[in-house]
Amino acid sequence: MESATPARVLVVAHRTAATPALIAAVRERAGRGSATFTLLVPAAAHGLDRLAEPDDLTSDEAQDTLDLALPLLEEAAGAPIDGLIGVAQPFDAVSDAVNRDGYDEIIISTLSPRVSRWLKLDVPSRLEVLGKPITTVSAKGATPAPSRAPA
């Protein structure tokens, strides 16, 4: 029996926020049951900013990502999606959002495993401490998603 309250799904992406793999993952999750979605884009840190003041960044690049990806993800979800800009470190950005807003599930979208900094930092595994189901999607495609319940 499905809960009357929709699941709150946090979608985390930056350069992959508008990729077909993430759009498909959101569409698939929306099709499995009632859910609301929020797209979290960590602010980008470049060059020395990564070392100096990573939390003191402008959010222009992250806002551009939100502006591009939200309409595509809203179409996939079949409903409006909220957008958030987080701190530059993806683990901290997700932890902050989950602790502040209480999401039920997390979908993380990364570049391909060969080049993904987030995967090299083991962000999806490190986020397991939050106790939320995590689906990792790469630009090359999704890891196996939870199977659908029989109809």
Side-chain angles (χ1 to χ4, degrees), residues 59-121:
S59 57
D60 292 347
E61 186 175 337
Q63 186 60 55
D64 290 346
T65 299
L66 284 173
D67 293 343
L68 172 68
L70 282 174
L72 300 170
L73 295 174
E74 287 174 344
E75 183 179 333
I81 294 181
D82 292 327
L84 294 174
I85 296 174
V87 297
Q89 297 303 320
F91 178 85
D92 295 336
V94 173
S95 296
D96 291 349
V98 168
N99 290 328
R100 182 184 60 238
D101 298 324
Y103 294 96
D104 303 307
E105 303 173 31
I106 302 168
I107 298 174
I108 300 173
S109 179
T110 70
L111 294 169
S112 69
R114 189 174 57 80
V115 296
S116 172
R117 186 175 69 87
W118 291 7
L119 292 178
K120 287 180 176 123
L121 294 172

Side-chain angles (χ1 to χ4, degrees), residues 26-38:
V26 168
R27 182 175 291 115
E28 189 277 330
R29 176 56 190 89
R32 283 193 284 125
S34 182
T36 61
F37 296 88
T38 299

